Amino acid sequence: MRIGINPEKEKSDINIDSYHRVVIPVYIPNLKEEYFKDGLKILKICIESLLLTIHNKTKISLINNNCCKEVSDFLESTYNLNENVDQLLHSKLNLGKVNALYSSIKSNLEPLITISDADVMFLPNWQSEVENIINTIPQAGMVSPVPSSKAYSSRYLYSSLFYGLFKAKLKFSNVVNPEGMLNFQKSIGRDSMYNENHLEKYLTIENSKTKAVLGCGHFVATMRSDVFKFSPIEVCKHKIVSGSETQYIDKPNDRAGFLRLATLDNLAYHLGNKLEDWMLIDLEKTKSSNHINLALDTLSKPKPISKIGYFMGKIFHELLIRRFKKLFFKYKGMTKEY
């Protein structure tokens, strides 16, 4: 039996006071296995660094992807003690990274959504620099605070390449922070990801207002929510492999006509699964910094590349990046092996 009318029907519009949401799925099933031993310590650095570096128009969603009790208790405490952390989703099943992300992405209204692994340390100014690129390049749909000089070779940069060739300046620029790329290389357990030329120059896109690195990874990146209108309808059937992030993150961004970029400076660290002393030292530096987190007054409306531009970019990517890369790079001033 129902009596009366639900009062929410008379005020059904959803109003939010934030425009940027950070979504972090967490999967730490135990603290005993070597791989997960330092997982909680790394997670605490991730969350604390994030809370220290966001502005007041930011909300955080944490996804408990079948974590052990110690981690679940920490997530619950974080949710209860921090106003910015307004969502904590619990699952007794490991949904996989993509499904965990989409459980929040598809149910929130913020126009900007940062997706992040749980082993990222956020540095001062990451948010302002990322938002500045999105705001001054309305075609940008995916921007990471971690640049890579090898990101140009990734697939699904067709819209980005078209914009760089016909709407802006595409050129090689001096790497601002080569140490950041070396740290990333070390964090994923590789010794020779970058050669000396990669640490000296990266391919950048520049318009009259700003400059950004072409391409980026997806372990931490800020997306326009419009991107996900082009995502697959089907639920992802893989936890983390089989190109799931490419299909559900990279490809939709490109097909939507948006650019995939990164900041010039390295403004976040991928920590990996082993706690090191420098991580705690850098976290203390962030705590003691005079960094002020300022929100944007207005956010530019998205301005995607046309479908024709996307397909032209696809052709030029095959020709200039795949088949005739040496000649194209030489034309752009890169005479060294790259």
Side-chain angles (χ1 to χ4, degrees), residues 85-233:
V85 183
D86 69 332
Q87 291 183 342
L88 172 59
L89 284 68
H90 292 286
S91 175
K92 293 182 179 180
L93 172 71
N94 178 9
L95 299 172
K97 179 178 177 179
V98 166
N99 291 330
L101 287 170
Y102 269 64
S103 67
S104 177
I105 288 170
K106 290 291 190 176
S107 59
N108 281 295
L109 302 178
E110 286 81 8
L112 295 184
I113 300 175
T114 292
I115 58 175
S116 174
D117 289 356
D119 58 351
V120 171
M121 180 192 290
F122 295 86
L123 301 178
N125 297 315
W126 77 269
Q127 191 174 31
S128 60
E129 290 297 316
V130 164
E131 289 186 356
N132 177 64
I133 291 174
I134 292 175
N135 215 33
T136 53
I137 307 180
Q139 295 82 359
M142 178 178 181
V143 180
S144 174
V146 181
S148 170
S149 56
K150 297 189 74 174
Y152 73 89
S153 63
S154 302
R155 294 183 64 191
Y156 305 117
L157 288 174
Y158 309 143
S159 298
S160 306
L161 186 60
F162 174 83
Y163 179 87
L165 290 171
F166 298 102
K167 303 289 185 178
K169 293 180 181 178
L170 182 68
K171 64 179 184 178
F172 281 97
S173 301
N174 293 330
V175 172
V176 171
N177 187 349
E179 190 65 30
M181 287 196 288
L182 287 174
N183 283 339
F184 175 72
Q185 175 179 280
K186 180 181 178 183
S187 74
I188 60 174
R190 295 177 62 177
D191 298 324
S192 57
M193 182 175 179
Y194 300 111
N195 63 34
E196 59 180 10
N197 299 324
H198 295 136
L199 298 173
E200 182 181 338
K201 299 281 187 180
Y202 42 34
L203 204 54
T204 59
I205 284 177
E206 182 177 2
N207 67 13
S208 61
K209 297 180 180 179
T210 194
K211 181 193 287 189
V213 177
L214 177 66
C216 69
H218 40 228
F219 75 91
V220 57
T222 299
M223 320 276 293
R224 285 189 185 269
S225 60
D226 302 74
V227 166
F228 299 103
K229 297 175 184 177
F230 292 78
S231 60
I233 298 175

Side-chain angles (χ1 to χ4, degrees), residues 21-22 30 38 52 69-70 77 93 128 130 133 136 145 175 177 179 199 236 261 263 293 309 322 334 336:
R21 178 167 295 275
V22 182
N30 64 74
D38 290 343
L52 287 168
K69 185 179 186 306
E70 296 92 334
S77 174
L93 172 71
S128 60
V130 164
I133 291 174
T136 53
V175 172
N177 187 349
E179 190 65 30
L199 298 173
C236 182
L261 307 169
T263 56
N293 310 312
R322 300 283 180 187
M334 177 54 68
K336 301 176 182 178

